[in-house]
Amino acid sequence: MRIIPSIMLSAALTAAGVQAQAAPNEKGEAKLAKEIEGRVAGKPVSCINFRDIRSSRIIDGTAIVYETSGRKIYVNRPTSGASFLRKGDALVTRTSLSQLCNVDIVRLYDTTARFERGSVGLGQFVPYEKVKSAANGG
């Protein structure tokens, strides 16, 4: 008889965990939408050059935004581990190439506690450029 209440409790906790996990993704999607507002998506690419990356930002549980020179940003939605993404973590990548590619694994370090928290497998890099309007001459 004790098995049934345990199963029900376990199911309830699992459902609560799933609901709690979904909320940050919705917030992440909203933040990403703001990030790309006024920009147009281009054709996804497999790699971007390290020398072109000016900065990177983590969108909690959703994506990594790489800002490059000029008017372009690249959005990478990891193919695995996106739920580990958390603002404030450091992104650490080891590669022998001069490019960051969709086959690379990025490790995530908690900068406060100073330990590795997980990793993500990168996906395609989607470029976004600002829309040129006639009002501002370009």
Side-chain angles (χ1 to χ4, degrees):
M1 289 301 227
R2 288 187 173 185
I3 293 174
I4 292 174
S6 295
I7 292 171
M8 290 173 55
L9 177 61
S10 177
L13 290 174
T14 301
V18 169
Q19 287 176 353
Q21 239 178 1
N25 282 344
E26 289 174 15
K27 288 180 182 178
E29 290 296 336
K31 187 168 183 176
L32 181 58
K34 277 189 157 188
E35 191 80 34
I36 61 176
E37 188 175 342
R39 296 178 182 267
V40 176
K43 182 179 177 184
V45 296
S46 298
C47 300
I48 57 175
N49 292 318
F50 274 119
R51 71 172 182 269
D52 295 336
I53 300 171
R54 301 276 188 238
S55 66
S56 60
R57 291 181 294 286
I58 293 174
I59 307 296
D60 288 345
T62 306
I64 304 169
V65 176
Y66 294 95
E67 188 172 337
T68 62
S69 54
R71 304 163 67 104
K72 194 178 287 188
I73 62 172
Y74 287 87
V75 174
N76 189 289
R77 290 177 177 269
T79 57
S80 64
S83 62
F84 290 113
L85 291 172
R86 188 173 69 193
K87 183 179 177 180
D89 282 352
L91 302 169
V92 179
T93 307
R94 287 194 178 129
T95 180
S96 60
L97 302 174
S98 61
Q99 295 182 314
L100 185 59
C101 296
N102 64 336
V103 295
D104 290 325
I105 303 294
V106 176
R107 294 181 299 151
L108 305 168
Y109 279 90
D110 184 312
T111 55
T112 305
R114 299 181 184 210
F115 68 90
E116 186 175 334
R117 311 189 315 93
S119 61
V120 296
L122 295 178
Q124 293 283 309
F125 296 86
V126 179
Y128 286 86
E129 291 192 74
K130 288 188 177 179
V131 177
K132 296 177 183 179
S133 67
N136 65 13

